[in-house]
Amino acid sequence: MSSPTSFEASEFAGAITDVAGLKVGHFTHPDAPTGCTVVLTPDGAVAGVDVRGAAPGTRETDLLAPGNFVQQVHAVLLAGGSAWGLAAAEGVMAWLEERDVGLDVRYGRLPIVPGAVLFDLPASGGRIRPNAAAGRAACDAASTAPPAEGNVGAGAGALLGKLFGAQHAMKGGIGTASVTVGGVTVGALIACNALGDVIDPDSGEVIAGARTEDGRRLRDTRRALLAGGLPRPLLAGTNTTIGVVATDAVLTKVQANRLATVAHDGLARAINPVHTMSDGDTLFALATGRVPLGDAAPGMTVLSTMAAEVVARATVRAVRAARSIEGAAGLKFPGRADWSPAP
């Protein structure tokens, strides 16, 4: 009996909301393929970040450095809309402040909301993008239920495989996964808008990415480049995979930053090429501290392995759940959920 793919196996199911202390909400714009996603940590969470892409769009990442003052965050924003989409964080902050959630700064409670954006303008057209109202709506929708995957939230307008031109790209999306070992859970939420192809790490199969000239087959970007294929000129920052990896373990800021670093190994397993000059790949790490790391609990080596694994799985799920859309300028972007390459 053949082994199932990483998307089909029940042991690979799960969601970032399996991590105690988190809620996730999406806002998907009704008039254009764009949106935002919020991961709420109302009781606070120790956080870290690692930015690997060369063209990031982020906010409040410096404060996550281990030597800096702030110790906990109260939400993480993932959004489309390129840098304009960072405005959605204002709505998240206002929503949290109204509920008295934030860092006590004597004159009020200041919600700490790091965030990152991806460039979804080829799909959305750029005139409609997430704003403060979108951030509020994502918070209103947040729950502990498994979040929807595919063409929702920050993944609504995500694309992938644009190295040979947007006309050959496919639909990206947002996905989630979790794994539990020794009573400790690690989960991931990934919005995949990659320049490269997405690959199932278990089978090595390219499951979505740049298509051939006739649009009926997958080109296999890695092999095409190594065979001398020439990529199209690209604007920096027009791609990017962003996400959150979270655990219920007790971690320090140093450990949380390390977890964000090794979580990128999961992107490297599932995306090729990755961390390019045109990507702003950014991963946040959250530790809600519900499970102490005692002698019998997994240590950082196991947690790191779990983090890379769930990031890879969530990336694959994001793409397998993506459905076809028509983007700006009439371009059609097939999604793997309703498209199969010709034999």
Side-chain angles (χ1 to χ4, degrees):
M1 179 177 178
S2 61
S3 61
T5 68
S6 61
F7 182 70
E8 296 166 342
S10 60
E11 63 186 302
F12 289 173
I16 191 171
T17 47
D18 293 334
V19 176
L22 298 183
K23 293 182 178 181
V24 174
H26 296 306
F27 168 78
T28 306
H29 204 286
D31 298 322
T34 190
C36 62
T37 299
V38 64
V39 180
L40 295 176
T41 63
D43 295 329
V46 175
V49 67
D50 192 305
V51 180
R52 292 291 180 92
T58 59
R59 57 165 274 145
E60 300 279 45
T61 52
D62 284 353
L63 61 77
L64 302 183
N68 289 344
F69 171 71
V70 170
Q71 295 300 303
Q72 294 190 325
V73 305
H74 306 100
V76 174
L77 171 76
L78 308 176
S82 189
W84 287 294
L86 291 171
E90 297 177 17
V92 179
M93 289 185 68
W95 190 93
L96 289 167
E97 183 185 15
E98 289 165 7
R99 288 156 179 81
D100 203 31
V101 174
L103 176 67
D104 187 355
V105 292
R106 184 181 300 179
Y107 302 99
R109 289 198 172 270
L110 177 65
I112 306 299
V113 184
V117 293
L118 54 78
F119 187 95
D120 58 4
L121 308 192
S124 70
R127 294 298 182 183
I128 297 175
R129 56 250 187 176
N131 55 18
R136 277 183 171 274
C139 292
D140 286 336
S143 77
T144 58
E149 300 176 285
N151 298 20
V152 294
L159 306 173
L160 64 145
K162 289 163 278 188
L163 199 62
F164 298 99
Q167 69 272 26
H168 303 304
M170 289 184 66
K171 185 70 182 68
I174 194 165
T176 188
S178 72
V179 65
T180 300
V181 175
V184 173
T185 299
V186 178
L189 182 70
I190 302 296
C192 182
N193 186 58
L195 176 66
D197 298 338
V198 170
I199 299 152
D200 186 322
D202 290 330
S203 66
E205 174 194 8
V206 178
I207 59 174
R211 293 173 292 138
T212 53
E213 293 296 324
D214 63 9
R216 300 179 60 205
R217 298 172 181 81
L218 292 170
R219 190 185 299 247
D220 193 332
T221 295
R222 178 178 67 90
R223 295 183 187 278
L225 291 175
L226 293 175
L230 297 177
R232 294 283 297 272
L234 294 163
L235 289 173
T238 53
N239 306 280
T240 294
T241 296
I242 54 178
V244 177
V245 59
T247 181
D248 49 17
V250 175
L251 299 182
T252 65
K253 280 184 76 175
V254 171
Q255 290 171 321
N257 274 276
R258 186 62 187 166
L259 200 68
T261 295
V262 297
H264 275 277
D265 293 351
L267 293 186
R269 293 174 195 168
I271 301 171
N272 197 330
V274 71
H275 304 146
T276 74
M277 293 298 291
S278 293
D279 285 291
D281 301 332
T282 300
L283 292 181
F284 297 93
L286 299 174
T288 62
R290 301 298 181 91
V291 181
L293 283 183
D295 293 340
M300 280 301 297
T301 297
V302 177
L303 284 177
S304 297
T305 301
M306 294 164 70
E309 186 67 21
V310 293
V311 166
R313 295 179 187 179
T315 304
V316 170
R317 290 179 65 90
V319 171
R320 288 198 185 277
R323 295 191 172 273
S324 303
I325 66 167
E326 182 172 329
L331 289 177
K332 291 180 171 58
F333 303 109
R336 185 60 198 245
D338 52 21
W339 178 85
S340 296

